[in-house]
Amino acid sequence: MLYLVGLGLSDVKDITVRGLEVVKGAKRVYLEAYTSILMAADVSSLEEFYGREVIVADRELVESGSDQILEGAGKDDIVMLVVGDPFGATTHTDLMLRARELEIKTDVVHNASVMNAVGACGVQLYNFGQTVSLVFFTENWRPDSFYDKIMENRRLGLHTLLLLDIKVKEQSLENMARGRLIYEPPRYMDIRTAAEQLLEIEEKREEKCYTPETPCIAISRLGSPTQKFAAATLAEMAEYDSGEPLHSLVILGNRIHELESDYFMQWAINESTLKSALVEDGKLHK
């Protein structure tokens, strides 16, 4: 059987009891290592905790080497460990579909992910709209498809969770062109970069999806002992030092329940500025 096992958000001990039992009894254990990272653990600490080998599965192996991962899964248990919850990325759905094509049984052990733990910032999960990903801009590539999804959410008064880019085991265009297996250092988008890119696209589109005064919540190292929240305007976020990764950003909708504002106001960088921004944003998007 193929098992997808969620690891949670931070520590080796965030795995569920059932997930740990599955790992200990499996023939092979892979760790999907490019859509996210465990903030307080690495492969060696996982191996020490599990008492067994963990095979790192990079992007190439997960997306192109599914046959290698699934080899023998018809008679033995194979595990793919996933940071957060197994269905937090479409890659894992693809692997499940491939297993089904090969008539391999599958099972999933769920865990906490940013998609539900984001509620810790103070806004209610049922008030979120579409989640969007924000990628690093390059000199020649500055995609803005996320803008329309944020606009749809904002028109409905819903919050938007932005998942910020992670670059792990990426190659430069030159190295790819020359066929050289040389990888760039890992990069993790911070809140400041995300805010700058958002403001750049608003300046380009000029559709007032959001403004420099739009209220937001920055989320850093969610689920870890050093997790941190900050509530401020988008312009203030462009000056905010969010520290070590990982980071996410919430653009607030204009239908803020007072229980939400009462809760997230404790994270305010400037309480009076934030209160004014909430009032003005409500007027702009009515």
Side-chain angles (χ1 to χ4, degrees), residues 27 93-94 148 150 155 230 247 249:
K27 182 75 171 180
T93 304
D94 291 340
D148 297 317
I150 297 175
R155 285 173 174 167
H247 308 288
L249 182 65

Side-chain angles (χ1 to χ4, degrees), residues 4-261:
L4 295 188
V5 176
L7 292 179
L9 292 168
S10 177
D11 192 84
V12 294
K13 295 180 181 179
D14 287 346
I15 192 171
T16 64
V17 174
R18 178 168 171 253
L20 184 58
E21 291 174 347
V22 169
V23 168
K24 288 182 174 293
K27 182 75 171 180
R28 295 193 309 279
V29 178
Y30 294 91
L31 171 65
E32 187 270 276
Y34 74 90
T35 58
S36 190
I37 60 169
L38 275 175
M39 290 170 285
D42 55 19
V43 175
S44 61
S45 60
L46 290 175
E47 289 182 328
E48 182 179 357
F49 185 66
Y50 301 151
R52 59 166 308 142
E53 179 188 13
V54 174
I55 305 166
V56 176
D58 58 17
R59 180 190 295 269
E60 183 178 355
L61 179 58
V62 175
E63 295 186 346
S64 304
S66 60
D67 289 342
Q68 180 181 339
I69 294 171
L70 295 172
E71 183 180 357
K75 58 179 181 179
D76 296 310
D77 290 338
I78 308 300
V79 171
M80 176 64 75
L81 301 174
V82 180
V83 176
D85 186 80
F87 288 123
T90 56
T91 296
H92 313 124
T93 304
D94 291 340
L95 185 61
M96 295 289 274
L97 289 172
R98 178 59 179 155
R100 188 165 66 183
E101 289 174 0
L102 297 173
E103 299 184 347
I104 294 170
K105 294 180 180 179
T106 61
D107 197 2
V108 177
V109 182
H110 293 285
N111 210 321
S113 76
V114 64
M115 302 294 285
N116 52 25
V118 66
C121 76
V123 293
Q124 300 299 311
L125 294 179
Y126 53 76
N127 288 334
F128 277 87
Q130 303 172 82
T131 298
V132 302
S133 297
L134 190 62
V135 301
F136 279 111
F137 286 175
T138 67
E139 184 177 349
N140 300 313
W141 188 57
R142 310 178 93 73
D144 63 357
S145 58
F146 65 84
Y147 187 91
D148 297 317
K149 292 183 179 180
I150 297 175
M151 179 74 84
E152 290 175 10
N153 290 343
R154 299 272 286 161
R155 285 173 174 167
L156 294 172
L158 301 174
H159 312 311
T160 303
L161 171 61
L162 290 95
L163 304 178
L164 308 189
D165 202 5
I166 295 174
K167 296 290 188 186
V168 179
K169 204 174 181 182
E170 296 280 337
Q171 289 181 277
S172 67
L173 292 176
E174 180 182 354
N175 285 329
M176 289 179 64
R178 295 177 180 273
R180 297 185 298 210
L181 294 178
I182 301 174
Y183 300 100
E184 301 294 297
R187 297 172 63 204
Y188 307 97
M189 185 181 292
D190 60 17
I191 297 298
R192 180 180 298 165
T193 300
E196 289 172 348
Q197 292 189 180
L198 287 164
L199 291 170
E200 177 183 326
I201 296 303
E202 176 56 51
E203 186 176 350
K204 170 187 171 184
R205 297 278 295 258
E206 295 184 327
E207 298 174 40
K208 294 192 182 301
C209 173
Y210 45 80
T211 72
E213 286 69 48
T214 295
C216 306
I217 300 176
I219 303 170
S220 299
R221 299 169 297 283
L222 182 63
S224 79
T226 62
Q227 76 175 12
K228 183 179 179 181
F229 306 104
T233 65
L234 191 55
E236 289 172 321
M237 292 299 182
E239 303 292 331
Y240 174 64
D241 182 359
S242 51
E244 295 296 312
L246 298 170
H247 308 288
S248 302
L249 182 65
V250 174
I251 295 180
L252 295 173
N254 67 317
R255 298 175 187 172
I256 305 290
H257 192 282
E258 65 179 25
L259 289 177
E260 293 179 304
S261 59

